[in-house]
Amino acid sequence: MVFCLIAILFPFISAIAILEGVKVQSRVSVNEGADIYVTMDMYGRNGVIPLEMAEGIKKIDGVIKAVPRVISRIYIGSRLAVLLGIPIDEPPSSLSFIKGSIPQRGEIVIGKRMAEDLNMDIGNNLSIGVRVIAIIDHRPYIIKKLYRISGIFDSESSIWTSGLVMMNIDDAISTFEMDGFVTDIAVYVRPGYEVSVSENLQKMNSFFRIQTKDLVKTYVERGFNTKGGIFVALYTVAFALAIPAILVSSGFGLSDRRKEIGILKATGWQTHEVLEMVFFESIILALISAPAAFILSFVWIKLFNGLFIAQIFIAEIGSMPPFPVPSRFMPLPFILSFFFALILTMVGSIYSTWRAAIIPPAEAMR
Amino acid sequence: MIDTEHRTQNTELRSQDNELIRCDGIWKIYNEAKPHEVRALVDVSFVVEKGSFTIFNGPSGSGKTTLISIIGAIDRPSRGRAYLDGKDITDFSDVTLSLLRRKRIGFVFQNFNLVPRLSAWENVSAPLIPQGIREKDRKYRAMQLLDKIGLSDRVHHAPEELSGGEQQRVAIARALVNNPDIIILDEPTSNIDVEAASLLIDILKGLKAEGKTILISSHDEGLFVNADIIFEIRHGHLAGSWVPLVHR
Ligand SMILES: Nc1ncnc2c1ncn2[C@@H]1O[C@H](COP(=O)(O)OP(=O)(O)O)[C@@H](O)[C@H]1O
Ligand SMILES: [Mg+2]
């Protein structure tokens, strides 16, 4: 019974912890990013923006700097990573170089963890694959290029140190055959100028898509909340499905339980006394299994790095996450899981107990 | 047949001063009105005297267990009425029957029905739990009883670690824990060896000496000599009763 409960609660606690952890890490990323991101509208979606627009944006009052960026997905071996192409003089502030130098042409900088995982160091060459859609038959294929590792960075975000590759923006543009275009321009503004800069940007070009930090923040949060929401919904369904299973396996087999209740009643227990006992048993079961599930998922995530579980919540990682899975254990899921356990055991045992307790003991003992 | 016995037909109900239990036209029909209907008891009437040692004799399947279950208030008759101390208990509520079982009746089941996950003393004291008696006092009471029936060295054993005879004695201790005045045993010699049976007879004699009313279902003739009266059950009918010669 306890194992049954732990098995049900464990994924719930783990999932919430991982979701929360990822949320915190991305919040860090967002906060450290630029104030405004500008790109161009392309049939209602984010398109690309001409590189030279950066110069015009720099001239807007309140703008500190405008950094063109190329962001794309790349493959390292069969593993997906994120490529960030930036001007060599503008490394992101949230990254700290621990070794080497900013990438020149033909060079890349990778995260500490990725370097460890791939067993690579400065001076090694790394093959990077880019997914390209063929113009003729529209079938995607991957082209590969070799880059020299010029530096290694570290960051608070484990997702970054294991999945982010930085490259000189000119390299990125040519790799993706973007010819004078970048994916967006990150605009840093003086405090208080966010609104006026946004307005001026929109005036400058009506096709600009402008995303402020707050907007990004909301998107990220909303993304996580829907992810979390979907998960909780799925979990609730699974939970509802688990109730009959618990009903069947509740306690030590229904017929044994029935018999035991018959025995108790035959020796003078009253129905309500039997129910009270089962009620307290349920509370104790919940008290045991909720912390046990909590500890198990803590150990699972910290020691086994969320093996098999993290992949459900973090896109495109295998069963063995290549970086320490971010996690945050919060009191609310813990309390919730206690109540889940309680409801499960209650539904499982109170009903069957009641059924067995209202019939004559001779019948229950058969 | 043992020659110390003398059989008399005695089917009519006599009104007795020291009447404890009276059954009046008891029927028990399992799966009533279904194709596999079983008439386990058919119009059974009798009286059990206070302080008596009563045996219900009959072949297996004749309805003994069904009958003593109704007397022990752990089952309800399909028809007829059962009285205890002249009170009609047939329609007692679930709660009242529970309290009746607690205060008046100790039941020793044929297969003992000990709770497997509880130790000997826990089984004995389990009926005391809902009465709000502290564990220390419960344990003390259980120990006393286990000591009385010679099981003080088996207190912490699980039922599966006990022999049939020992399990039965734990079940007897449990039946006695609320100090009831009626002790009911279902086929008490069927699951134990000869030595345990003679020990059992000693225990039963002791209980009778304490003034308890003992009802037994059994077809073990070795027990008959101890009985005050033996009711014969055949195919759910009460076929008669007789008194062993030693008591005449
Ligand atoms: N729960 C039950 N459902 C249907 N038939 C039963 C049930 N219990 C007992 N019987 C039947 O009732 C009859 C009497 O059973 P029982 O009282 O156990 O006899 P005894 O104890 O004398 O062996 C038997 O034919 C038995 O098969
Ligand atoms: Mg029987």
Side-chain angles (χ1 to χ4, degrees):
Chain A
M1 183 72 176
V2 171
F3 290 113
C4 207
L5 285 173
I6 293 175
I8 292 168
L9 297 178
F10 169 65
F12 173 75
I13 296 177
S14 306
I16 300 282
I18 291 172
L19 272 176
E20 283 298 325
V22 175
K23 209 170 173 178
V24 168
Q25 282 205 359
S26 20
R27 211 175 283 149
V28 169
S29 318
V30 173
N31 283 338
E32 290 190 6
D35 301 306
I36 299 170
Y37 295 90
V38 188
T39 184
M40 295 272 264
D41 189 284
M42 205 183 228
Y43 313 116
R45 300 170 62 201
N46 284 351
V48 290
I49 183 167
L51 176 60
E52 76 258 9
M53 293 252 176
E55 290 310 312
I57 292 170
K58 269 180 201 157
K59 294 189 183 101
I60 295 173
D61 188 31
V63 171
I64 302 168
K65 56 181 179 177
V67 184
R69 308 189 308 170
V70 171
I71 298 178
S72 178
R73 280 182 180 178
I74 52 167
Y75 290 89
I76 293 167
S78 60
R79 200 165 116 181
L80 259 173
V82 173
L83 178 102
L84 176 62
I86 40 165
I88 47 170
D89 48 341
E90 296 285 355
S93 56
S94 57
L95 309 182
S96 52
F97 272 83
I98 49 173
K99 263 202 234 180
S101 56
I102 288 162
Q104 305 296 316
R105 298 291 308 242
E107 289 181 336
I108 50 169
V109 168
I110 61 173
K112 184 176 151 223
R113 187 155 284 276
M114 186 188 282
E116 280 166 11
D117 287 346
L118 299 173
N119 201 15
M120 291 259 172
D121 207 345
I122 290 169
N124 290 144
N125 287 325
L126 185 62
S127 164
I128 287 181
V130 179
R131 199 159 170 267
V132 181
I133 311 276
I135 297 168
I136 302 165
D137 59 2
H138 296 281
R139 233 184 285 156
Y141 62 96
I142 291 171
I143 50 169
K144 285 193 168 154
K145 276 186 188 166
L146 270 186
Y147 290 88
R148 184 182 167 275
I149 297 168
S150 72
I152 291 171
F153 70 87
D154 200 0
S155 158
E156 265 183 65
S157 164
S158 59
I159 296 181
W160 285 22
T161 64
S162 63
L164 185 69
V165 173
M166 276 191 297
M167 186 183 272
N168 186 298
I169 190 155
D170 301 324
D171 269 350
I173 290 170
S174 66
T175 302
F176 293 99
E177 294 166 359
M178 289 169 72
D179 302 316
F181 286 87
V182 292
T183 37
D184 62 25
I185 295 170
V187 183
Y188 296 78
V189 302
R190 281 202 292 278
Y193 279 83
E194 290 88 353
V195 178
S196 71
V197 170
S198 298
E199 283 167 3
N200 284 328
L201 278 168
Q202 203 66 82
K203 256 180 250 160
M204 192 170 146
N205 189 322
S206 60
F207 286 102
F208 276 169
R209 282 170 80 93
I210 298 157
Q211 287 170 332
T212 62
K213 190 188 256 180
D214 289 338
L215 211 57
V216 174
K217 229 187 251 177
T218 347
Y219 280 151
V220 170
E221 295 277 325
R222 195 186 294 161
F224 278 111
N225 289 342
T226 27
K227 237 189 215 174
I230 289 166
F231 171 72
V232 170
L234 283 176
Y235 186 83
T236 313
V237 172
F239 184 80
L241 292 176
I243 289 178
I246 284 275
L247 265 169
V248 170
S249 74
S250 93
F252 11 124
L254 222 56
S255 68
D256 286 345
R257 172 140 215 127
R258 212 176 122 97
K259 183 164 184 180
E260 194 176 312
I261 291 158
I263 295 170
L264 293 179
K265 286 217 67 190
T267 58
W269 286 53
Q270 294 177 47
T271 301
H272 78 90
E273 290 162 346
V274 175
L275 286 172
E276 272 164 29
M277 179 198 67
V278 171
F279 179 79
F280 283 115
E281 259 179 23
S282 299
I283 290 180
I284 287 168
L285 274 177
L287 277 175
I288 293 171
S289 46
F294 198 78
I295 291 165
L296 180 67
S297 77
F298 190 83
V299 168
W300 197 265
I301 290 172
K302 299 289 175 193
L303 252 53
F304 301 105
N305 206 17
L307 192 66
F308 304 122
I309 291 180
Q311 58 178 332
I312 305 168
F313 305 104
I314 306 173
E316 285 138 1
I317 57 171
S319 59
M320 271 285 257
F323 51 86
V325 169
S327 61
R328 199 157 80 133
F329 289 88
M330 310 246 287
L332 187 66
F334 178 71
I335 294 164
L336 270 180
S337 63
F338 170 75
F339 282 108
F340 275 156
L342 199 61
I343 292 168
L344 276 178
T345 50
M346 296 267 174
V347 173
S349 52
I350 299 274
Y351 177 68
S352 55
T353 304
W354 179 75
R355 285 289 301 272
I358 53 165
I359 55 175
E363 216 169 297
M365 278 185 295
R366 272 202 278 275
Chain B
M1 207 56 54
I2 303 165
D3 59 9
T4 50
E5 291 158 12
H6 173 76
R7 293 174 182 245
T8 57
Q9 285 299 119
N10 185 6
T11 45
E12 85 280 6
L13 273 181
R14 285 172 303 172
S15 182
Q16 285 147 338
D17 293 340
N18 54 350
E19 165 188 319
L20 179 68
I21 297 158
R22 171 191 290 266
C23 282
D24 211 350
I26 295 285
W27 289 65
K28 182 70 180 183
I29 305 171
Y30 292 111
N31 312 312
E32 192 159 7
K34 288 184 192 145
H36 48 295
E37 176 179 290
V38 178
R39 295 180 162 202
L41 293 174
V42 179
D43 195 22
V44 175
S45 306
F46 61 88
V47 167
V48 173
E49 288 176 27
K50 211 169 277 176
S52 69
F53 191 132
T54 303
I55 291 180
F56 296 93
N57 178 38
S60 143
S62 56
K64 303 182 298 297
T65 300
T66 305
L67 182 58
I68 60 170
S69 297
I70 291 168
I71 300 170
I74 60 171
D75 209 352
R76 290 179 189 271
S78 307
R79 250 164 269 165
R81 313 217 70 87
Y83 302 85
L84 182 69
D85 289 333
K87 268 194 298 260
D88 186 349
I89 65 164
T90 324
D91 297 325
F92 270 16
S93 70
D94 180 59
V95 173
T96 322
L97 281 182
S98 288
L99 291 174
L100 178 73
R101 289 191 292 265
R102 176 182 297 176
K103 293 198 182 106
R104 305 289 305 273
I105 295 159
F107 207 108
V108 180
F109 304 93
Q110 181 169 11
N111 55 2
F112 319 129
N113 277 345
L114 298 177
V115 179
R117 62 192 175 99
L118 300 181
S119 69
W121 83 263
E122 288 168 334
N123 265 289
V124 173
S125 70
L128 301 175
I129 294 172
Q131 297 168 46
I133 298 169
R134 283 183 307 164
E135 177 168 329
K136 197 174 125 250
D137 299 332
R138 277 191 278 128
K139 191 166 184 177
Y140 180 75
R141 176 98 180 103
M143 301 289 226
Q144 257 186 335
L145 284 165
L146 287 168
D147 195 36
K148 185 175 163 186
I149 56 165
L151 275 182
S152 46
D153 55 344
R154 295 285 189 276
V155 171
H156 298 291
H157 287 235
E160 60 176 19
E161 300 165 349
L162 300 171
S163 72
E166 288 167 338
Q167 286 188 36
Q168 184 181 59
R169 278 184 280 153
V170 172
I172 292 173
R174 179 177 66 187
L176 295 174
V177 77
N178 277 319
N179 197 25
D181 59 322
I182 303 166
I183 313 291
I184 301 173
L185 301 92
D186 192 8
E187 307 258 11
T189 53
S190 63
N191 281 330
I192 60 175
D193 59 28
V194 183
E195 278 166 62
S198 78
L199 201 62
L200 168 74
I201 291 170
D202 290 342
I203 291 169
L204 294 178
K205 279 180 181 165
L207 292 173
K208 183 172 154 62
E210 288 174 24
K212 297 197 190 296
T213 305
I214 296 168
L215 290 99
I216 287 178
S217 92
S218 182
H219 52 254
D220 178 359
E221 300 192 342
L223 286 173
F224 292 177
V225 66
N226 303 291
D228 297 313
I229 186 162
I230 296 164
F231 291 102
E232 295 290 343
I233 313 288
R234 297 289 182 278
H235 302 295
H237 294 266
L238 181 60
S241 71
W242 52 282
V243 177
L245 204 54
V246 279
H247 293 296
R248 304 195 102 221

